[in-house]
Amino acid sequence: MDKVIEIKELYKVYTETAIPVKAINGINLEFKSGEFTAIVGPSGCGKTTLLNLIGGLDKPSEGIILIDGVDITDFSMSKLTDLRLWNIGFVFQAYNLIPVLTAKENVEFIMQLQKKPKKEREERALELLNAVGLADRIDVRPGKLSGGQQQRVAVARALASKPKFILADEPTANLDSKSTATLLQIMQELNEKENITFIFSTHDKRVVDKAKRVITLDDGVVVSDELGELKV
Amino acid sequence: MILNIAWKNIWRSKLRSSVVIFAIAIGLLAGVFSSALMIGMLMQRVDTAISNEVSSLQLHNADFMENNEVTKTISNSNALISEISKDPDVRAVSKRITVESMVNSGHGPLGVMIKGVVPENEKRVSKIYKYIADSSGSFFNSKGRNPIVIGSKLAEKLKVHLRSKIQIDIVTKQGLPTSAIFRVAGIFKTDNSMFDEMTAFVKFDDLQELIEFDEDESHEIAILTKNIMLTDSLQQRIMNKYTNYIINDGAILRTENLSLKPYILSFLKSIKSSKSYNYKSFVGLLDKNIKEDDEDSKQEILKSCETGLNAMSWKKLTPDLELTTQYMDLMLFIYVGIILLALGFGIVNTMLMVVLERTKELGMLMAIGMNRSRVYSMVMLETVLLSLVGGIVGLLLSYIAVTYFGNKGINLGDFGEGLNSIGYSSLVFPALDFASYVKVVIMVIFTGIFAALYPAWKAISLNPSEAIRTE
Ligand SMILES: Nc1ncnc2c1ncn2[C@@H]1O[C@H](COP(=O)(O)OP(=O)(O)O)[C@@H](O)[C@H]1O
Ligand SMILES: [Mg+2]
């Protein structure tokens, strides 16, 4: 399988604070296409920082990040924006959706940014919302959806741009156990059937159990990187 | 898409947006309506001034203009009138003798401008006869020797009534003092109390006899054009035909008092002769030899070299009005501009709150791939749309108010008495043309754009990774 992401000697130091914080302290990692990987570790260990660096939302202090073999660390702001739009799907812990748009419009929105034709947008939005089990909620605004449903719309939105991989930072942190299970099941199915690459952070044991690969961070370094039992 | 989101975003905080919209609407209503009130007042003033006092165009002997000398008459009035009456743009023509006099009734004497008029013709160029109440006589309808129609203020000061006798003292053409007794046949009361105090009308023939003019002599020919727009072109035609320009010794002497630039003076001296130019060719000559930025000098020279007939439009006859009509636009601009400036700060404040409130959402949008120019235009559009909604509501209210009071009029009551004394009516009909509404809409859009600059800049300076983390 192809290496989609390569990280070499990565450091991130936050210097805006009184005492500089070494959030990422020398990380080397590779991610392949089709992975279903959990990044785990206690709060403050650097999960969000790592995902933000991979996603081009932030710049490392040192080291390089290759996406499809291209170093993105010296990309300009606008080049990074384009990279995110075309290559990376994002699911955040909360505030994923535009409140004034319906579920379908939210999924379409990212394709509108990509200037996709209307017909293609609508078809794909319906198809994806169907895949995340929300075919009957397409014209509902986020405010009228449950937390779990909102996260499923966010997954559909992340997929809509046909990204190389999806980064999800604690996507289940605000969900009850039933919604968590549903979301994980949908993500697993997408991974297995459509070969969608997911990299997600969590500190929920039940979520970790579903991952094919588990990377454990502590104090900005990788303390373990193991392949879990494959549940086919 | 961005437009759609921007529009929907406005209604996320209904209360806050409504307050802004309401503020803009009320502000504009105040600004637009008060402009309309001022403009309505001015237009009424221009209109009444033209139809009551000055008419569209007045012809005089060019020399009369200098110091209203009694002897400087238009010597061929009747032929001139029949000639001008043929012009298709002319509605009515009337000749006048105007002379300063002292009037006395036992009270007085008072200085008054006496106008000798031909009643039938005068009624067609000026509406003064309409300002005589039924109980106050008429504009020369009754029979009887030496009738005079005076203003109410004058009547008050002279303590005279209808049919009272007044003595009038003037100087004849030959320079001899003379006097006659006139009997009050009508008392008019206009909105302009100064005019009412200073003006009296007598019959042309009566005054002509008293002042010892020839039958064909008059001081003034008043012309009313079919509409106000036709005035300038008629003036040009008349001047081309009847006004001459001569640069003789007298003219050079007069121009030397004007403090003209040296090159202009020497140019004038160089073309000194007894040759007479018509208006067109003289203006052409001046245009060719005098630089464009010396336009004022040109006007002065024209005045100094003029002979024959002088034609003056209402714009020159009431220069204050001409000036104020020019400033109508500016007035709207200033009134509405100041109000929008104040409202603009409120809009900036509101949009800053919006950006602050939506930090996480904006961060998310930038994170998933919305570039800065789209984020910028989203905030910009939201601001402009918000302003525009307020603007349209405000203009709608203004339109309703201006139309309603434009038909009904607003009585300025006690305040109106002060207005009368400077020639304005106390019943005001606000008026505003369509173009002005369009101008206000454009001003509102620009206010929105300017008010959006800072909040939109704030929005794009967010760092997406930090914006998402914000608690
Ligand atoms: N913008 C920032 N400025 C300073 N320190 C930060 C900033 N963001 C994160 N940190 C610090 O970096 C460390 C890693 O944070 P984070 O990546 O959010 O961890 P996690 O997502 O695993 O909880 C923490 O100590 C956190 O306080
Ligand atoms: Mg985190």
Side-chain angles (χ1 to χ4, degrees), chain A residues 212-226:
Chain A
K212 289 185 198 164
R213 176 185 175 192
V214 178
I215 297 167
T216 311
L217 295 187
D218 199 7
D219 264 344
V221 293
V222 176
V223 293
S224 78
D225 183 354
E226 3 181 84

Side-chain angles (χ1 to χ4, degrees), chain B residues 69-352:
Chain B
E69 236 179 283
V70 181
T71 54
K72 308 292 188 192
T73 59
I74 300 171
S75 53
N76 58 340
S77 309
N78 294 335
L80 199 59
I81 286 174
S82 71
E83 185 74 23
I84 289 168
S85 304
K86 285 182 200 143
D87 191 292
D89 290 349
V90 171
R91 186 187 297 278
V93 189
S94 179
K95 62 177 178 177
R96 297 168 181 160
I97 296 171
T98 68
V99 53
E100 282 161 24
S101 71
M102 298 308 283
V103 300
N104 209 325
S105 64
H107 297 276
L110 291 169
V112 170
M113 180 64 80
I114 302 279
K115 295 186 180 228
V117 297
V118 181
E120 315 82 80
N121 295 340
E122 189 64 24
K123 276 183 172 179
R124 301 187 60 214
V125 298
S126 91
K127 300 286 169 295
I128 195 71
Y129 68 95
K130 287 195 173 164
Y131 290 85
I132 302 174
D134 286 341
S135 55
S136 304
S138 68
F139 199 70
F140 305 108
N141 288 346
S142 55
K143 298 213 166 63
R145 269 177 53 80
N146 281 359
I148 185 167
V149 172
I150 63 175
S152 56
K153 200 89 188 181
L154 182 61
E156 211 174 281
K157 289 222 163 159
L158 292 171
K159 297 196 165 56
V160 294
H161 306 281
L162 213 51
R163 285 179 287 281
S164 301
K165 283 183 194 167
I166 318 179
Q167 180 183 320
I168 293 196
D169 296 296
I170 60 166
V171 176
T172 66
K173 193 180 179 185
Q174 280 73 36
L176 305 169
T178 181
S179 73
I181 302 293
F182 283 78
R183 199 180 279 274
V184 177
I187 298 172
F188 60 86
K189 184 177 190 321
T190 68
D191 294 328
N192 186 343
S193 47
M194 194 134 85
F195 182 78
D196 291 357
E197 188 181 337
M198 304 286 293
T199 320
F201 294 88
V202 299
K203 281 188 167 174
F204 190 91
D205 296 342
D206 294 344
L207 192 55
Q208 181 195 23
E209 205 173 301
L210 193 63
I211 202 169
E212 295 172 12
F213 271 11
D214 295 340
E215 203 185 326
D216 237 6
E217 274 182 305
S218 72
H219 284 127
E220 186 170 287
I221 294 179
I223 302 169
L224 192 66
T225 49
K226 288 192 175 145
N227 72 55
I228 190 170
M229 311 294 200
L230 299 169
T231 311
D232 289 346
S233 60
L234 179 68
Q235 183 184 17
Q236 298 285 312
R237 283 201 294 282
I238 290 176
M239 285 175 78
N240 275 330
K241 211 158 170 188
Y242 301 106
T243 312
N244 295 308
Y245 296 87
I246 299 177
I247 305 171
N248 52 18
D249 290 322
I252 294 285
L253 213 63
R254 280 192 293 272
T255 52
E256 271 169 350
N257 295 330
L258 295 176
S259 65
L260 297 170
K261 292 196 180 151
Y263 88 94
I264 300 177
L265 265 182
S266 55
F267 156 70
L268 290 175
K269 278 182 185 147
S270 75
I271 58 165
K272 191 180 93 174
S273 73
S274 55
K275 181 174 179 230
S276 139
Y277 300 85
N278 73 9
Y279 177 72
K280 231 188 208 143
S281 59
F282 192 62
V283 168
L285 186 72
L286 293 184
D287 282 345
K288 215 161 51 198
N289 290 284
I290 295 178
K291 293 185 193 121
E292 255 176 60
D293 40 322
D294 292 325
E295 185 57 43
D296 290 348
S297 309
K298 246 180 250 176
Q299 297 303 324
E300 300 276 358
I301 296 166
L302 280 172
K303 225 176 3 186
S304 307
C305 303
E306 201 172 56
T307 67
L309 217 53
N310 169 280
M312 227 185 215
S313 77
W314 63 272
K315 293 179 190 174
K316 270 277 157 51
L317 290 161
T318 49
D320 56 325
L321 291 187
E322 159 67 352
L323 208 66
T324 34
T325 50
Q326 278 178 8
Y327 285 114
M328 279 185 201
D329 262 2
L330 189 67
M331 200 142 61
L332 180 81
F333 190 76
I334 291 171
Y335 271 46
V336 175
I338 289 173
I339 286 170
L340 283 178
L341 183 71
L343 290 170
F345 284 102
I347 301 171
V348 172
N349 184 46
T350 305
M351 290 313 292
L352 280 176

Side-chain angles (χ1 to χ4, degrees), chain A residues 50 65 87 89 118 149 158 220 230:
Chain A
L50 180 62
I65 300 166
N87 298 298
K118 189 170 165 58
Q149 288 172 331
L230 295 177

Side-chain angles (χ1 to χ4, degrees), chain A residues 14 48-49 52 57-58 77 81 84-85 90 92 95-96 98-100 109-110 112-113 115 157, chain B residues 1 4-5 8-9 12 360-361 364-372 374 463-465 468-469:
Chain A
Y14 290 107
T48 300
T49 305
N52 282 352
L57 289 168
D58 220 338
M77 191 77 142
T81 307
R84 295 195 299 264
L85 175 60
F90 288 93
F92 303 103
Y95 295 96
N96 269 300
I98 303 167
V100 294
F109 176 74
I110 195 139
Q112 278 176 309
L113 292 179
K115 302 207 165 77
R157 197 265 316 278
Chain B
M1 161 193 56
N4 179 24
I5 296 174
K8 286 178 176 160
N9 272 342
R12 277 168 81 167
K360 271 178 177 265
E361 187 181 322
M364 178 275 291
L365 288 170
M366 290 160 120
I368 66 168
M370 190 167 180
N371 63 28
R372 287 171 155 209
R374 282 173 167 149
N463 174 329
S465 66
I468 296 166
R469 273 181 202 262

Side-chain angles (χ1 to χ4, degrees), chain A residues 137-191:
Chain A
R137 310 291 281 162
I138 53 171
D139 290 326
V140 178
R141 286 194 184 188
K144 290 261 158 64
L145 294 173
S146 72
Q149 288 172 331
Q150 288 184 31
Q151 291 304 77
R152 278 143 70 187
V153 176
V155 170
R157 197 265 316 278
L159 282 169
S161 62
K162 298 192 176 160
K164 295 204 167 74
F165 53 91
I166 291 179
L167 300 175
D169 190 11
E170 309 214 26
T172 61
N174 292 347
L175 303 184
D176 59 38
S177 49
K178 194 160 163 273
S179 306
T180 301
T182 318
L183 186 69
L184 252 293
Q185 198 193 330
I186 288 167
M187 284 165 60
Q188 260 183 319
E189 272 174 29
L190 287 164
N191 174 254

